Every structure is written in C-alpha cells, then in structure tokens.
Amino acid sequence: MNYIASSGPLFKDGKKRIDYILVYRKTNIQYDKRNTFEKNLRAEGLMLEKEPAIASPDIMFIKIHIPWDTLCKYAERLNIRMPFRKKCYYTDGRSKSMGRMQTYFRRIKNWMAQNPMVLDKSAFPDLEESDCYTGPFSRARIHHFIINNKDTFFSNATRSRIVYHMLERTKYENGISKVGIRKLINNGSYIAAFPPHEGAYKSSQPIKTHGPQNNRHLLYERWARWGMWYKHQPLDLIRLYFGEKIGLYFAWLGWYTGMLIPAAIVGLCVFFYGLFTMNNSQVSQEICKATEVFMCPLCDKNCSLQRLNDSCIYAKVTYLFDNGGTVFFAIFMAIWATVFLEFWKRRRSILTYTWDLIEWEEEEETLRPQFEAKYYKMEIVNPITGKPEPHQPSSDKVTRLLVSVSGIFFMISLVITAVFGVVVYRLVVMEQFASFKWNFIKQYWQFATSAAAVCINFIIIMLLNLAYEKIAYLLTNLEYPRTESEWENSFALKMFLFQFVNLNSSIFYIAFFLGRFVGHPGKYNKLFDRWRLGECHPSGCLIDLCLQMGVIMFLKQIWNNFMELGYPLIQNWWSRHKIKRGIHDASIPQWENDWNLQPMNLHGLMDEYLEMVLQFGFTTIFVAAFPLAPLLALLNNIIEIRLDAYKFVTQWRRPLPARATDIGIWLGILEGIGILAVITNAFVIAITSDYIPRFVYEYKYGPCANHVEPSENCLKGYVNNSLSFFDLSELGMGKSGYCRYRDYRGPPWSSKPYEFTLQYWHILAARLAFIIVFEHLVFGIKSFIAYLIPDVPKGLHDRIRREKYLVQEMMYEAELEHLQQQRRKSGQPVHHEWP
C-alpha cells in the first residue's frame, strides 16, 4: 500500500513518517559497505525499511524514519531552537507620539489587503512557530517547550536536516575517512539520497472547495502556477517546505525584481526621450544631410569611399542610447544599486528575525567531513568552544591557495585568448564581407561583421562555460575548505570570476579598445603587420556596444531558461514514458515518483544566484550604453521567479532543507559590481560615447562659445568639426581630392599634417576631468546613502534585545514552576522564588 498523509509518505504500518530515502541497485556488488552503513544507522537510532521499485526491478529503496528519542538527542546536540512560549509584543514610550504615523500605516495596510498582488492569507496554514519565543532544545528542559503533538513538533525540514546530519557522519568501513553518504554515492554504493516530497502537487479536487492535500500542493496552486505571476510570494511557506536557504534566495530574487521596476521605468523614459527627440538632433541632421562628404575607406583592398549620409540610420539609432539623459541615468543606476543593496540588508535582517536565525551561525556551523578526514591528526583547541578540532596548517593552506589562484589566472588568460581570436576573426572577414556577392551584406558589411562576431563569441562563451564548472569544482576541493559555507563561497567566487570575464571581456574590448589605436589614413596600425585594426562606424562605437550587449543578454537568458526548465521537462517526460511502457495499472508510490524526477544540481543554488548576479552586472556596469537593460532584466525575472518555483515544486526532487542567514558571498560580489559599475559607466560616457566631444565643442569651439545667450543651436557644425581631412593622392590609388575620418588631426595643408590638434588635448583633459568628478560625486552619494540606511531597523534591534531578556526570564520562570510542581508531588514546602 502507498500510505501517505498530509505531512508526507509513511512506512507500511501507516504510522511512521518517511524522513529520508536512499536508493541503490541490487546488482551493485558493494553490499558489504551498505550493510555496515545501514547497521550503524540502526545503531544510531534510525529505523529503516526496504522496498523494491515497481517500475524497475533492479532498484531498491531504503525508507528512513527517525524516532522521537533520536530526534530529541540530535536536536539537543545541534542546538536547534524550538518554540516554548507565545510572543507577547510590547509597546514603548515612543509609540504614544506615533499616533499619526500608525494611522497612516494602518490605512496603507488596509489598502494592501485589497491589492490583487497580495496573497490570500486564509489559504495558508497558521505558521505558529513564527509567533513563539524559541530557545535551544534540551531534553532536560523538555517541559519548557510547547509540544502538542510529537509527530508535528519537529517540522519535516528539521527532521530531514537531522537525518542528513547523521547520514554524513556514519561510518561504512573501518578508518577515519570512511564516513558519509556522499562518499558512498561517489563510489556507487548508493545512487541517490533525498528527502521525499509530501505528496502529489496536483489534485483532482479543486483547492478552493476541498483545500490543499499537502504543502506541496498548496505551493503549486498559490505560487508555482504561471497564473500567479503577479502575486507576492508565500515566503514563510517556501521556508517551511524547502528550508531557509532556498527561502532567502526567493526573497532576494523577489526583492531584486521589485527594485528593477523603477530602474526599468527610468531607463524606458531615457529611451523614449531619445526616440521623440531623434529627428531634432543636430548631429543626426548634419550626418543625414552630408551628401557631399566622403569618408575614407575602412579597409585596404575592397572598400570604397562612403558617403557620410549613408550612416544616417546608425546615427539616429546611436542617439537613442547616447543623448542628454545618459549621464543622469548612469548616476541614477549607481544610486539605485546602493539603495537596492542597503534595503535588502534591512529586509534580510527582518527575515532572519522572523525565521529565528539571529544566533544560528555561531551555534550550528559544523566542519565538513572531508576536512575532518584530511586533517584529523592535526588538532588545535577551538577558541570558541574550547574543544579540540582538526586544523589545517598555514603552510598547507597557502600552498593550496597559490595553486588555486594559478588555475584561476590560467582560465582567465584562456578567456582573453578566445576574445583575441574573435578580434582576429573580425579583421580577417571584414574585407571579405566588403566584397561579398550579396548586395545586402556588401552594403552593410560592418553590421554583418559585428553580428557574426557576436554570435561566434556567444558560442565560445557557452563552450567555455562547460569546462569552467569542472575546473572550479576541482580547485575548490583542492583547497579543503573548513565548512560547507566556506566551500560554497570559494566555489561561487571562482565560478563568478570565470563567467564574468567570459561574458564581459568582449564587451570591455568594444567599449574601451575598438577603434582607439587604429592610426590614421596612410599610416594605419596593423596586427602582425598584416591586418588593419578595426574601426568604429562613422557614427561611433556605441552601436557596436549596444549590439554586443543586447544579443548576449537576450540569447543568454533564453539559453538559461531552456536549461533550467526545458531540459528537466524533457528528461522527466522520458522517464514517465518509460514507466508507463513498463508497467500497467499499478500505483506508483511517492518516493518512486520522486526518484524519477531530476535531482537538484550538485552545487545547490549557486547556478541560480550566478545567473542573477551576472544579469545584475549587465544591468549596471554598461547601463550608460544600454538603458533598456533594466527592462529586459525585469521581464526576464518575472518569468524566472515562476520558472524556478515550478522547477522546485514539480520537476526536481525535494532538496535538503538547509539553513542560512544571508545570501553568502553573493552580497559582497554585488557590492563589488556596484563599485565597478560607477567606474565603467564613467569611462563609457567619457570615452565610448561622444558626450564629452560634444560638450567641449558646445562651450569652446561652437557658435555659442562666445555668446552669453545663444541664438542658434550650439552644436551646429559639430560633425564637420569632428572629422579630419586626408589627401587621397597619398594612397597611390589614382584618386584625388580629400576624404574625411573621425579624429582630431591637422589637415594635409597645415604645418604639422596629421598631428593631433589642440582640440584633441582639450577633449582628452575634459574626459579625464569628467571621470574624476563623476566617480567622486557618485561614490560620495553612494556612501552617504549607505550611511543613512542602517542594516537593521532601530525598532527591530530593540525588539531583539528585549526578546533575549524575556527569554531568559521565561526560562527561569518555567524552571521554577517545574521545580514547584515536583515539590508539591513529593510533599515538600514550595518556594515562590529562587533559593
């Protein structure tokens, strides 16, 4: 029989809850290790029950149940905090003077209750533990805790976490290193270990009339369905089912998505400002009317003179992203990144308080079994616990770090080599496209060259990503991190560095190097004395940068969404197809259905965070060149939240409900990206865009330079001023006259032909001055905002201190009450205070 309750599947007796599942193949010959391991698990107090699979006769399931006494023993050993008294909220003196504010917030709360985005709380179970004071569980003080039902006192997540702790520390052979379920999975003794889902996520009965069958069903109906895309997330239920670590991820993702809304609106306004004023742009008008201005050939052999007005469309498109709102938007996004991170810290502190994680880190962080097995001979006394524990010598740690850092630099150099290869490709095919048979490619050969290079670069990025994960995993294991959090942080940092350089190296090249060192007509710089270095389009390099960012961001998001949902859907469909073909009219138990789902990837939430952090980099680092990036990120994240929810609830086995107090190393990486974004946007505005040359011309060389009240457009004549002259007769091609090229050099008839003019040095000085002023201004604003916004709200800080005091008092009172009851039973006199 497939016994199942609302709390999850049960043993054959229909009473014992299944807390964990182990899977192995009967044909596997390592039965001695399994027998020893299972014997030791029973000795530790676990109960095991075996059952063969229905669909595959070679598969055997081991169902694990942890009894009450064993639960209590390990809950005390792991210092798990459990509820023991209902919270009694207090008011202080300040609240009397806050009547108007409370009335205002009450009105907002009443409106929020009618907001269609808010979840209907009546559909969710009453999570009582969030309204109780908690303390470290103790068997000696078990009478302090609120135990209405032993089967539900410890949640499914806590039970699974305790069982996994035991599985990781149980021996399967003699020897200090022969320990842990992960090693048994690696050597093939077992093929899987996972906590079971609580039941099916769908029901034939509507949830509105019959209610949810289990928490998984409730999560699907109220969170994972695509029809709930506009609703807030049920974070407390996510935390109850999947654990605090996954709950914090979805809380951070939801917060990030919500904060993208104002950034997307401002970016859209900047874009529409450029769209509505595009036809009034003086620069675009001059380029579109320049029918008699000929540009110098952009390649040596197959390129001909090009009329400047052929770049009319490119000039107008460039103006969409390079207009008067660009500087404002860059400053806005730098401030936005700071506000987002500072308010997330406040949100995180509220969640850690609500989920009772304030003191968890010091209490429960344990050593990795691999670290213990490697350094068990070298012990030192832990200064916190006062107990001896394995220790990694400093010399060994430094040596392993040096090897790891060398591997990181090698992979980064490999990425730079790949980018160099794409650059060489652009130079080689540039002339081939200029003489192509198809008129469209021949006419727009620069666009075709850039588009082909972007696609090839994207393919290289995806191929290199396949190797990065394995190398990062190898280097991280080589370091032997002390705890799981240290392992995750080290692995995440390596993966971020690899993929960040992989994704952004080509963008950095286009933004800051393309067209900067080409020389001038008649004296071009050449790569290997053969290929002429690439130049920007006559309308500037910004159009190439926008194309590179837009294509990579769009294709990367499509690929990630397919790999996250499409690939598991196909695999799960194939598994169900094989099962239906192999059996007929048989009821598949829940654990076997879970076995046929895809396991959560080996690195947990690292891939999810990495994808979003890289997107955050795209959204902030080069946002001055692509103001639509926040809008694309917002649309993607609305889909991403439901896609991840659907994947966790329906397509993946239930992951281990791990605990965490924050998002780990990702917060530091996000802060680093925020700092880098200020610097790169300053350089993009100063160097890549034409903002500074236009500014210098407007106030120094244009028609308004000597007029207090200009009567005409101050940029009139800017295009002609920004183009230098070259004598075609010097090319030796039998042509006469002059062509123009983008630079500030002296004409052929000057005393110093083709030398930089004074205007060039003025523009260079203005660019350097803008970078310094922009960075100092934005960094000053960011620091001031970070100072104004405390990480922990003042009211929450006071409540935490108050509750610590009340918990101590309640513990003393409960112990006194228990002592008085014992004295009454024994007939001894009762004292109403401590002796």
Side-chain angles (χ1 to χ4, degrees):
M1 295 292 294
N2 181 17
Y3 289 104
I4 190 165
S6 60
S7 59
L10 306 173
F11 270 28
K12 290 181 179 179
D13 60 4
K15 297 179 180 179
K16 300 181 183 67
R17 183 189 305 180
I18 300 176
D19 298 307
Y20 227 85
I21 298 291
L22 303 181
V23 189
Y24 69 90
R25 298 188 184 277
K26 298 177 183 177
T27 54
N28 186 278
I29 60 175
Q30 302 192 52
Y31 50 85
D32 290 336
K33 294 179 181 179
R34 286 197 301 272
N35 290 340
T36 304
F37 185 69
E38 292 163 15
K39 179 181 178 181
N40 291 335
L41 288 178
R42 290 189 178 95
E44 286 292 325
L46 296 179
M47 301 181 71
L48 278 61
E49 183 178 78
K50 293 186 178 182
E51 185 168 330
I54 295 176
S56 177
D58 188 39
I59 298 297
M60 179 67 76
F61 296 101
I62 299 179
K63 298 172 286 185
I64 299 177
H65 168 75
I66 180 168
W68 170 255
D69 293 338
T70 309
L71 261 176
C72 294
K73 180 176 69 173
Y74 276 90
E76 181 177 9
R77 185 178 298 179
L78 297 176
N79 286 327
I80 293 178
R81 301 179 68 88
M82 300 303 296
F84 68 89
R85 189 71 62 87
K86 282 280 186 181
K87 285 185 179 179
C88 50
Y89 297 103
Y90 72 100
T91 58
D92 53 13
R94 294 180 304 152
S95 63
K96 297 178 181 178
S97 62
M98 295 179 64
R100 292 183 180 178
M101 291 295 294
Q102 288 177 349
T103 303
Y104 175 72
F105 284 118
R106 193 178 297 113
R107 290 176 181 175
I108 295 178
K109 190 174 182 181
N110 292 335
W111 174 83
M112 289 290 289
Q114 302 171 359
N115 188 349
M117 298 174 65
V118 176
L119 289 162
D120 182 11
K121 292 186 177 180
S122 63
F124 293 91
D126 183 19
L127 306 176
E128 293 186 357
E129 63 269 18
S130 62
D131 293 327
C132 294
Y133 294 115
T134 61
F137 184 79
S138 170
R139 287 177 291 177
R141 297 180 176 180
I142 197 171
H143 48 275
H144 293 179
F145 298 91
I146 305 173
I147 306 178
N148 298 322
N149 187 341
K150 290 184 178 181
D151 292 334
T152 58
F153 178 64
F154 294 100
S155 66
N156 280 355
T158 302
R159 297 170 68 97
S160 299
R161 197 159 49 241
I162 291 175
V163 172
Y164 182 76
H165 176 85
M166 299 173 68
L167 293 174
E168 272 288 271
R169 284 155 180 78
T170 301
K171 289 186 177 182
Y172 57 85
E173 277 185 355
N174 292 327
I176 190 67
S177 63
K178 308 295 185 180
V179 59
I181 185 63
R182 276 191 288 187
K183 288 191 175 182
L184 286 171
I185 293 176
N186 291 336
N187 64 31
S189 300
Y190 294 95
I191 53 178
F194 55 89
H197 278 296
E198 293 184 2
Y201 65 87
K202 284 187 176 180
S203 173
S204 57
Q205 306 293 339
I207 192 173
K208 290 184 178 180
T209 57
H210 291 74
Q213 289 185 334
N214 50 67
N215 285 336
R216 187 189 185 194
H217 180 213
L218 182 61
L219 280 171
Y220 175 76
E221 292 290 340
R222 294 290 184 260
W223 178 49
R225 286 194 305 112
W226 295 103
M228 308 299 290
W229 66 271
Y230 62 95
K231 291 284 189 181
H232 293 169
Q233 300 184 89
L235 294 178
D236 288 334
L237 187 60
I238 297 171
R239 169 246 179 174
L240 179 68
Y241 193 81
F242 292 110
E244 287 80 1
K245 194 171 186 177
I246 293 176
L248 274 175
Y249 163 71
F250 281 103
W252 176 83
L253 182 56
W255 185 260
Y256 172 43
T257 304
M259 289 293 291
L260 278 173
I261 295 176
I265 293 174
V266 176
L268 203 59
C269 291
V270 172
F271 177 79
F272 278 117
Y273 168 78
L275 185 65
F276 292 139
T277 61
M278 182 171 56
N279 293 326
N280 298 326
S281 169
Q282 180 67 28
V283 176
S284 299
Q285 289 178 0
E286 291 185 5
I287 291 178
C288 294
K289 293 177 182 179
T291 57
E292 300 301 324
V293 178
F294 292 90
M295 302 299 293
C296 297
L298 293 177
C299 58
D300 292 334
K301 296 180 181 179
N302 301 317
C303 297
S304 59
L305 296 177
Q306 181 182 1
R307 294 180 187 272
L308 180 59
N309 67 329
D310 291 343
S311 303
C312 180
I313 296 177
Y314 292 98
K316 290 183 177 181
V317 173
T318 300
Y319 181 77
L320 292 176
F321 305 103
D322 186 10
N323 53 61
T326 302
V327 177
F328 162 75
F329 188 56
I331 296 175
F332 172 82
M333 287 302 297
I335 297 173
W336 172 87
T338 301
V339 172
F340 158 64
L341 292 176
E342 292 301 321
F343 275 99
W344 161 249
K345 293 176 185 177
R346 292 170 64 88
R347 174 64 173 159
R348 182 199 67 85
S349 65
I350 294 173
L351 286 175
T352 53
Y353 164 76
T354 305
W355 294 349
D356 199 28
L357 297 170
I358 298 295
E359 299 178 359
W360 170 78
E361 188 172 358
E362 295 85 13
E363 295 174 351
E364 296 190 43
E365 188 73 6
T366 56
L367 299 178
R368 296 180 72 233
Q370 293 84 349
F371 181 87
E372 291 179 308
K374 177 70 176 177
Y375 298 106
Y376 71 97
K377 292 183 180 179
M378 294 162 279
E379 290 187 342
I380 62 170
V381 176
N382 188 308
I384 306 300
T385 64
K387 298 178 181 179
E389 66 176 27
H391 171 68
Q392 184 180 19
S394 300
S395 58
D396 182 73
K397 186 173 185 178
V398 170
T399 303
R400 293 179 181 276
L401 284 176
L402 287 176
V403 173
S404 181
V405 170
S406 301
I408 293 173
F409 277 109
F410 171 76
M411 293 305 299
I412 291 177
S413 63
L414 186 63
V415 173
I416 297 174
T417 304
V419 173
F420 180 75
V422 175
V423 172
V424 173
Y425 163 81
R426 292 172 65 110
L427 302 181
V428 171
V429 303
M430 185 168 55
E431 295 194 9
Q432 304 299 324
F433 282 153
S435 60
F436 212 74
K437 294 180 180 179
W438 294 350
N439 290 330
F440 177 81
I441 294 181
K442 186 176 182 179
Q443 184 177 0
Y444 301 103
W445 61 271
Q446 281 186 292
F447 176 80
T449 302
S450 299
V454 169
C455 295
I456 291 175
N457 185 58
F458 178 76
I459 294 173
I460 293 175
I461 287 172
M462 303 312 297
L463 291 176
L464 288 176
N465 282 346
L466 297 177
Y468 288 158
E469 185 173 339
K470 295 181 180 179
I471 294 175
Y473 187 78
L474 178 66
L475 293 176
T476 306
N477 283 337
L478 183 66
E479 295 173 7
Y480 278 97
R482 181 174 173 272
T483 62
E484 284 296 332
S485 61
E486 289 181 9
W487 189 96
E488 291 176 1
N489 290 341
S490 178
F491 181 75
L493 180 61
K494 292 178 180 62
M495 286 297 297
F496 169 76
L497 289 175
F498 289 158
Q499 296 211 19
F500 181 81
V501 175
N502 195 19
L503 279 174
N504 294 281
S505 53
S506 59
I507 298 176
F508 272 91
Y509 164 74
I510 293 174
F512 305 127
F513 297 98
L514 179 63
R516 308 294 168 198
F517 311 102
V518 296
H520 61 84
K523 193 179 179 181
Y524 283 113
N525 298 321
K526 295 187 176 182
L527 183 65
F528 304 133
D529 294 327
R530 181 176 180 182
W531 295 299
R532 176 174 153 184
L533 295 179
E535 292 185 59
C536 296
H537 200 272
S539 59
C541 291
L542 207 63
I543 189 68
D544 293 287
L545 183 59
C546 293
L547 179 66
Q548 183 84 7
M549 288 188 63
V551 171
I552 289 181
M553 190 173 186
F554 180 73
L555 293 180
K556 188 77 166 57
Q557 289 179 348
I558 290 178
W559 176 257
N560 286 339
N561 290 340
F562 170 75
M563 292 303 295
E564 286 186 12
L565 183 62
Y567 185 64
L569 274 173
I570 293 172
Q571 287 186 313
N572 290 337
W573 172 83
W574 180 246
S575 298
R576 290 193 300 269
H577 176 71
K578 291 192 297 184
I579 292 174
K580 290 179 180 178
R581 190 172 55 184
I583 61 174
H584 303 282
D585 301 329
S587 176
I588 304 296
Q590 180 60 47
W591 51 87
E592 191 163 348
N593 285 327
D594 292 348
W595 158 248
N596 292 316
L597 296 177
Q598 296 303 306
M600 186 177 179
N601 57 61
L602 184 62
H603 314 304
L605 293 170
M606 194 279 301
D607 290 339
E608 317 297 331
Y609 276 119
L610 180 62
E611 178 188 353
M612 290 295 103
V613 170
L614 291 174
Q615 183 205 82
F616 179 80
F618 264 90
T619 306
T620 55
I621 291 179
F622 290 100
V623 74
F626 193 55
L628 293 180
L631 178 62
L632 293 180
L634 173 63
L635 296 176
N636 176 79
N637 287 6
I638 292 174
I639 299 172
E640 181 74 20
I641 291 177
R642 302 305 157 180
L643 186 148
D644 284 347
Y646 185 82
K647 178 177 60 180
F648 271 93
V649 174
T650 69
Q651 300 302 310
W652 277 1
R653 297 174 194 161
R654 187 176 183 179
L656 176 70
R659 308 199 83 185
T661 57
D662 54 28
I663 61 175
I665 198 174
W666 300 109
L667 182 61
I669 292 175
L670 290 170
E671 291 176 338
I673 290 176
I675 295 173
L676 181 63
V678 177
I679 300 171
T680 53
N681 281 303
F683 276 87
V684 167
I685 295 171
I687 295 176
T688 310
S689 75
D690 288 337
Y691 176 79
I692 298 300
R694 291 197 301 265
F695 182 83
V696 172
Y697 177 82
E698 185 175 355
Y699 292 99
K700 180 66 178 176
Y701 296 94
C704 303
N706 299 320
H707 298 83
V708 179
E709 296 182 1
S711 58
E712 56 183 332
N713 195 309
C714 294
L715 288 175
K716 185 177 181 180
Y718 167 75
V719 174
N720 183 63
N721 176 265
S722 64
L723 298 176
S724 300
F725 287 89
F726 179 74
D727 189 353
L728 286 171
S729 61
E730 298 182 22
L731 292 177
M733 300 173 60
K735 295 182 179 181
S736 60
Y738 298 99
C739 66
R740 311 294 294 274
Y741 61 98
R742 281 174 55 92
D743 212 340
Y744 294 92
R745 294 179 182 269
W749 57 82
S750 67
S751 58
K752 294 181 179 180
Y754 309 127
E755 294 290 331
F756 288 122
T757 63
L758 182 62
Q759 186 176 354
Y760 169 83
W761 299 107
H762 285 164
I763 292 173
L764 179 61
R767 282 172 166 165
L768 295 177
F770 175 83
I771 291 171
I772 294 172
V773 172
F774 182 89
E775 288 181 356
H776 282 70
L777 174 65
V778 176
F779 279 134
I781 296 174
K782 284 168 65 71
S783 302
F784 182 67
I785 292 175
Y787 172 76
L788 288 180
I789 304 175
D791 294 348
V792 181
K794 181 65 168 59
L796 178 61
H797 181 71
D798 292 342
R799 174 170 288 184
I800 292 172
R801 294 179 61 188
R802 170 72 173 172
E803 288 192 4
K804 284 185 177 179
Y805 170 77
L806 291 177
V807 165
Q808 279 188 331
E809 292 294 317
M810 290 177 186
M811 282 287 190
Y812 291 145
E813 290 176 4
E815 191 64 29
L816 178 60
E817 182 180 349
H818 180 66
L819 182 61
Q820 290 172 348
Q821 290 177 355
Q822 288 183 332
R823 289 194 171 189
R824 288 193 188 98
K825 291 180 180 180
S826 61
Q828 297 178 358
V830 176
H831 300 282
H832 295 284
E833 58 183 19
W834 289 97

